[in-house]
Amino acid sequence: MMPQANPETRSAMLTASQQRISLLSTDIEKIRKCTSAANTSAENIRMTARVLDNLTSPATDHSAKLQAAARNLLEVYKKINDARDKLDTVDECKPAIDGLYKRAVEMQNSVLDRERNRKLMTQQEKSGHHLFGHDEEEEEDGRDDLAVASMLVHGSTVIDEDMLDDARLRMIQLRGAFLYFDERKDRMHNSSVRMDDIHKLYQRGLKGICILINIKLTEAGSSVSLKSSSSSIGKETAKEARTRLTTALAKHKLEEVIGDYETRLPFNKSNLAELRANFKCLGDTQFNPNVSTLGASSPPNDKNVKTRSLTKILNTNLKTGYMHLDTYAKSRKPEAFKAFDNYITELGKERKEELVGNVKTSVAEMEARDVVRGVEHAIVILIGEKQIFQSIVAPEGVHGYKDGDFSQKYRLALSSSFSHIAGCVVERLIRYLETTFHKQSKASVGNISASAAAAAAGLRILDGVRILGPTLSKYCDLTDKKKGMKKTAESEEAAQLCIELHRNCVKGCHKALEHFVKQISEDPLTGANYRPPDGGVARVSKQVVEAIRLISRYSSAYKSVTKRRALPWDPHTGEESGDLDSFMKYIISKYCKTIDDKAVQYRKESGFISKGKSHLFVVLNTSFMLESLRPVKKSRYLRMDSEDEDDYKLTKSWFKDKLGKKLESEKEEYLDIWGNLCIHLTPLEKLNNDKDLFKALKIRFGGFNEDFCKIYFSHNQLRIPDDNLRRNFLTSIRERFLNQYSTFYDQYSKVPFSKRKMGDYLKYPPTKVESMVNGLFVVSLTE
């Protein structure tokens, strides 16, 4: 336990603590008073700050508004200056554009005057006199005028490069001004008026530049020129042409071997640079006052749309919505057409010269060869025109630019512009092909050989179109299928015409084949030229053999016809259609029907010979067909790559069976005529007396002699040119009656059945009969 404190000590301790507590309380009170005073001061300061803030805020807002107003004033001033510049654009650009347009029109008039003078001089030369005499000074003046006109077109006398560059720059300024007012037409009251002024001036400049483009492109001339090295294409056979083209296609060098002409770029560097600059200036810009929606103005995209007439294509101007592209198509279309049309005229002249003294090649074959040459020349022209188009209009190609450079609408317009040019060439080719088919069809009426030559010519044309068609179509189209571009009727015009070319070719071949078969069926039954008086080989047999050999060269082309069109002898199309063998079978059946009809006409003739002549006629003609078309050494069809195109052979069993059975049947019918002699040669039965025997022998020998003379002296007029067939016939004739006659003669010639006319009854001993029979059907040297 702790000891208890002293009371005094405890009292002292309490007094000191209370003093400290009291002091502490006093200090706390002082702090409280200070805090209260500080709070009061802070509140006063806040109130003062609030009052000051209310006084300074309006001044700050007014200052910001003043700064914004200053900026707005600067922007308005700038826009006013821009608007003033745009308003002055028409006045600034008008002199340069008007000057360009005026000079361009002068150049155009100069070119037109020169063209009229050229036509007038041509007419005067054709008429053989001149209206203004032949003074040498006048002729020199005329040459000077032409030279001046040429300078106006090709030189820089009228429009120099600086003037043209200035005009192009002004066109760009007009486009910018038009876009400026177009964006503000809702806010600026006079925007529409200014836009109309700009539109009129821009149109004037656009027409001026398009006139220059037209002059340059027209004066450039053709895109092809005659090859420096001579070509043998004009003398090629169908096989040689096919080999040349297929080999070049396999090596991807078709462009190097086709045609008699080659491509050229008909511009010098300055003209090319000028044309490029013009098209770049008028290219696919954001503003073009003449632009219209291409899709809305185009006819519906119908794959089976009928092609327009050639006159309409030539005389109709393209409307893509871009005047410079329309001008390009208008300028180059006549040049491309003229290049092809002149070539067709050259081919006609060559044919006339070739026909003199040429009996080996038919006219139809020459025309077919020239049509294929026309297809080749069309490809060369399109290659040349495409090179010009890409060099001037689209140096990097229609799809060579970035997506932002050309709009889809402008790409379609580019394709339509070139397709319009190519379509004119292809349309002229189609008309040339149709004219050839029509001419050959008209010339082959009533003539099997001509109709067969026309059918073979049509197949040769189709063979060439099959090989060259894809290449022709490729150079007609500028659209990119890989990029999935939508196409219009204008952009597909030339490609559709290529399809129409193939379709018309198939149609022409179809008609030619039907016409050929019809000529066989309708071959006249009377007349020495159609039915030989001696019952020999008819002309129709030789014509059918020649026709089969001609048509057999084009098995692939024939298959192209049957795949697309049903034929009377082959109603199926597509892969189920028949091949050339089915057509040969039909030809032979029609031929056999014609031969049978001719044989019937022989039976209608008077005389004992008519029946035998009828049967022998059928035998000779069927034998001729068998020997001409039946393989001798080895069985094979003559294929397209065969070494001998003129020795086609039918190896199918139906051919031998049909004609072989017909030959044997008619042969038996003919031999039965000789076999009828055996009715006089049957052994005699035992008679009652010699008188009856003698009488029967007189009847037998007399009847035999009479019938034998009728047969022999009538059939002795008949001829069998084939030695093997003749020997075979004579052997068969002897076997029919001669052995039996020899036996009968040897047995009864010893019987004295006649006292006074025994020599008459026995005047034809077997040896003499055999000798007479062996002399039948001989063809004399004169025959």
Side-chain angles (χ1 to χ4, degrees):
M1 294 181 59
M2 291 182 61
Q4 296 184 353
N6 192 352
E8 294 179 0
T9 305
R10 188 166 52 248
S11 175
M13 291 176 61
L14 290 174
T15 301
S17 297
Q18 289 178 349
Q19 290 178 354
R20 286 194 292 273
I21 292 171
S22 178
L23 291 174
L24 183 60
S25 299
T26 301
D27 293 336
I28 290 173
E29 186 63 27
K30 290 179 179 180
I31 292 172
R32 187 178 294 115
K33 290 179 179 180
C34 289
T35 302
S36 177
N39 288 335
T40 302
S41 298
E43 185 64 25
N44 292 334
I45 292 173
R46 264 197 311 272
M47 293 176 64
T48 303
R50 189 179 298 114
V51 173
L52 291 175
D53 186 57
N54 291 334
L55 293 174
T56 57
S57 292
T60 304
D61 293 340
H62 288 302
S63 177
K65 290 180 181 179
L66 288 174
Q67 291 178 0
R71 287 194 298 270
N72 290 337
L73 288 174
L74 291 175
E75 187 69 23
V76 168
Y77 180 75
K78 182 178 179 181
K79 290 182 178 181
I80 290 174
N81 288 335
D82 291 340
R84 185 182 294 111
D85 293 339
K86 301 301 182 185
L87 290 171
D88 296 337
T89 300
V90 174
D91 296 333
E92 292 177 358
C93 298
K94 187 175 179 61
I97 292 180
D98 283 345
L100 173 70
Y101 179 77
K102 183 178 179 181
R103 300 296 178 83
V105 171
E106 291 176 359
M107 291 177 65
Q108 186 181 39
N109 293 334
S110 175
V111 173
L112 292 177
D113 290 340
R114 186 179 62 177
E115 186 65 25
R116 282 193 292 267
N117 292 335
R118 183 185 294 117
K119 289 182 180 180
L120 180 62
M121 292 175 64
T122 304
Q123 292 176 359
Q124 291 174 359
E125 290 176 359
K126 289 182 179 180
S127 62
H129 64 276
H130 296 273
L131 298 177
F132 304 107
H134 296 81
D135 187 39
E136 293 183 0
E137 294 183 358
E138 291 180 358
E139 290 181 359
E140 290 180 0
D141 292 340
R143 286 195 296 270
D144 292 339
D145 291 340
L146 292 177
V148 171
S150 179
M151 289 175 60
L152 291 175
V153 175
H154 296 289
S156 58
T157 305
V158 176
I159 299 179
D160 57 17
E161 187 176 351
D162 293 336
M163 179 185 293
L164 192 56
D165 289 340
D166 186 36
R168 295 193 196 106
L169 181 61
R170 299 303 181 183
M171 295 287 287
I172 297 174
Q173 291 179 359
L174 286 175
R175 287 200 294 267
F178 185 89
L179 290 175
Y180 177 85
F181 289 111
D182 185 56
E183 293 173 355
R184 295 161 178 79
K185 59 185 176 183
D186 296 333
R187 302 189 298 272
M188 297 180 66
H189 298 292
N190 61 346
S191 293
S192 58
V193 178
R194 288 296 177 179
M195 289 172 66
D196 291 340
D197 294 339
I198 294 173
H199 182 277
K200 292 178 182 178
L201 186 59
Y202 188 89
Q203 282 284 351
R204 193 173 180 84
L206 181 62
K207 291 179 181 178
I209 294 179
C210 287
I211 290 174
L212 297 179
I213 292 174
N214 182 31
I215 293 174
K216 293 290 184 181
L217 293 175
T218 303
E219 291 292 320
S222 175
S223 61
V224 296
S225 60
L226 191 64
K227 289 182 178 179
S228 56
S229 58
S230 59
S231 174
S232 61
I233 296 177
K235 306 294 183 180
E236 281 183 332
T237 64
K239 178 185 174 183
E240 291 171 346
R242 188 188 304 117
T243 302
R244 173 175 60 87
L245 295 176
T246 52
T247 302
L249 272 176
K251 296 180 179 179
H252 303 286
K253 296 182 179 180
L254 183 64
E255 293 80 359
E256 300 178 5
V257 301
I258 59 173
D260 302 305
Y261 284 69
E262 60 187 0
T263 60
R264 72 185 185 97
L265 192 63
F267 303 102
N268 55 35
K269 291 183 179 180
S270 60
N271 288 338
L272 184 60
E274 178 183 328
L275 287 168
R276 282 181 178 176
N278 288 336
F279 276 94
K280 186 176 181 181
C281 173
L282 303 177
D284 187 21
T285 56
Q286 293 180 354
F287 163 64
N288 189 335
N290 196 36
V291 169
S292 61
T293 304
L294 183 60
S297 62
S298 301
N301 184 12
D302 186 1
K303 293 284 185 180
N304 298 319
V305 65
K306 293 292 183 181
T307 57
R308 297 179 291 174
S309 65
L310 178 60
T311 305
K312 189 172 182 181
I313 291 179
L314 284 174
N315 297 333
T316 301
N317 294 327
L318 183 66
K319 294 182 179 180
T320 62
Y322 295 89
M323 185 183 292
H324 54 295
L325 297 183
D326 298 341
T327 302
Y328 183 92
K330 180 181 178 181
S331 303
R332 292 306 305 171
K333 181 174 59 175
E335 298 302 320
F337 175 82
K338 185 166 61 175
F340 186 81
D341 197 59
N342 291 341
Y343 183 73
I344 298 303
T345 304
E346 292 177 10
L347 293 180
K349 293 179 180 179
E350 289 181 9
R351 269 200 313 276
K352 289 182 180 180
E353 296 175 358
E354 188 178 356
L355 283 173
V356 179
N358 188 351
V359 295
K360 184 177 180 180
T361 307
S362 65
V363 177
E365 186 175 356
M366 292 180 185
E367 291 175 344
R369 178 197 63 201
D370 289 345
V371 171
V372 178
R373 292 173 66 187
V375 179
E376 294 184 34
H377 190 66
I379 294 175
V380 176
I381 292 175
L382 294 184
I383 294 174
E385 291 297 331
K386 199 169 188 179
Q387 289 177 352
I388 295 176
F389 186 85
Q390 292 178 339
S391 299
I392 296 174
V393 183
E396 298 185 27
V398 178
H399 310 284
Y401 292 87
K402 298 178 182 179
D403 293 338
D405 293 339
F406 281 171
S407 65
Q408 175 117 343
K409 182 169 59 178
Y410 190 69
R411 294 176 193 270
L412 285 175
L414 288 171
S415 298
S416 300
S417 178
F418 181 77
S419 181
H420 195 66
I421 300 169
C424 186
V425 177
V426 180
E427 182 67 24
R428 180 65 182 91
L429 176 60
I430 291 175
R431 297 295 169 256
Y432 179 44
L433 180 140
E434 290 177 345
T435 302
T436 301
F437 273 116
H438 177 72
K439 186 190 302 182
Q440 293 179 354
S441 175
K442 189 175 181 181
S444 62
V445 175
N447 191 326
I448 296 177
S449 295
S451 62
L459 292 174
R460 176 172 181 176
I461 294 173
L462 180 57
D463 199 33
V465 172
R466 284 176 54 252
I467 298 173
L468 298 172
T471 303
L472 180 66
S473 180
K474 181 182 73 172
Y475 284 107
C476 286
D477 195 4
L478 289 179
T479 56
D480 193 351
K481 297 179 180 179
K482 295 180 179 180
K483 294 192 176 184
M485 282 187 61
K486 295 181 179 180
K487 295 184 178 181
T488 62
E490 282 88 353
S491 64
E492 280 196 312
E493 181 177 30
Q496 290 297 319
L497 286 172
C498 290
I499 297 175
E500 187 70 17
L501 173 68
H502 187 271
R503 185 183 295 119
N504 288 359
C505 192
V506 171
K507 181 180 177 181
C509 290
H510 172 263
K511 290 184 177 179
L513 291 170
E514 284 189 336
H515 182 69
F516 162 61
V517 174
K518 183 180 179 182
Q519 295 306 308
I520 297 178
S521 302
E522 296 179 355
D523 191 57
L525 303 179
T526 58
N529 291 331
Y530 305 101
R531 187 166 57 86
D534 60 354
V537 177
R539 187 170 70 174
V540 64
S541 299
K542 300 175 183 178
Q543 290 174 334
V544 169
V545 169
E546 182 63 26
I548 290 175
R549 288 174 176 170
L550 285 174
I551 296 174
S552 64
R553 304 172 183 176
Y554 310 103
S555 59
S556 297
Y558 174 82
K559 187 66 176 179
S560 295
V561 178
T562 57
K563 277 185 176 181
R564 291 161 178 83
R565 298 183 71 92
L567 296 164
W569 57 91
D570 188 7
H572 302 288
T573 56
E575 296 300 329
E576 296 180 358
S577 61
D579 56 8
L580 193 61
D581 185 67
S582 63
F583 181 51
M584 296 302 170
K585 186 182 295 186
Y586 189 75
I587 292 176
I588 295 299
S589 65
K590 289 295 181 182
Y591 164 76
C592 291
K593 179 66 168 56
T594 299
I595 292 298
D596 290 340
D597 293 340
K598 292 180 184 292
V600 171
Q601 296 299 315
Y602 282 114
R603 295 191 184 97
K604 295 180 180 179
E605 295 178 356
S606 60
F608 186 75
I609 193 176
S610 60
K611 185 178 180 181
K613 187 189 294 184
S614 171
H615 295 307
L616 188 62
F617 170 76
V618 177
V619 170
L620 289 176
N621 283 274
T622 52
S623 175
F624 175 80
M625 292 294 291
L626 283 168
E627 292 301 319
S628 299
L629 298 176
R630 183 173 57 189
V632 179
K633 295 182 180 180
K634 54 183 180 180
S635 299
R636 64 176 176 87
Y637 266 114
L638 182 72
R639 302 186 181 277
M640 292 174 60
D641 56 351
S642 174
E643 296 179 357
D644 190 359
E645 293 181 341
D646 294 328
D647 193 25
Y648 180 81
K649 303 299 181 182
L650 288 170
T651 62
K652 298 291 185 179
S653 58
W654 63 264
F655 175 70
K656 182 178 179 181
D657 293 342
K658 185 176 183 64
L659 291 186
K661 290 178 181 179
K662 190 174 187 64
L663 187 149
E664 293 300 326
S665 174
E666 293 295 331
K667 180 181 177 182
E668 288 298 321
E669 292 287 340
Y670 177 80
L671 293 176
D672 286 344
I673 297 176
W674 291 92
N676 290 334
L677 293 173
C678 293
I679 62 177
H680 304 289
L681 306 177
T682 57
L684 293 174
E685 299 179 356
K686 293 183 179 181
L687 301 175
N688 297 328
N689 50 52
D690 291 342
K691 184 177 180 180
D692 294 337
L693 175 63
F694 294 162
K695 183 179 180 180
L697 288 175
K698 289 179 182 179
I699 294 174
R700 295 293 184 89
F701 278 105
F704 176 85
N705 291 343
E706 181 181 0
D707 289 347
F708 175 75
C709 288
K710 286 182 180 180
I711 297 173
Y712 174 78
F713 287 108
S714 61
H715 288 213
N716 193 36
Q717 303 172 21
L718 304 178
R719 301 290 181 265
I720 300 180
D722 191 320
D723 291 338
N724 293 330
L725 182 62
R726 177 176 173 273
R727 286 192 293 268
N728 181 274
F729 251 72
L730 295 179
T731 301
S732 299
I733 291 173
R734 291 194 298 267
E735 291 175 351
R736 279 301 173 103
F737 79 97
L738 189 57
N739 292 334
Q740 192 171 350
Y741 177 68
S742 297
T743 302
F744 185 86
Y745 188 91
D746 292 342
Q747 182 178 357
Y748 296 106
S749 63
K750 300 176 182 179
V751 179
F753 55 87
S754 177
K755 295 180 180 180
R756 289 179 296 178
K757 296 182 179 180
M758 192 67 176
D760 293 337
Y761 287 113
L762 301 178
K763 63 180 178 179
Y764 293 114
T767 54
K768 184 176 182 181
V769 170
E770 183 177 8
S771 176
M772 293 173 68
V773 169
N774 291 338
L776 288 172
F777 314 127
V778 176
V779 179
S780 64
L781 295 177
T782 56
E783 294 175 323

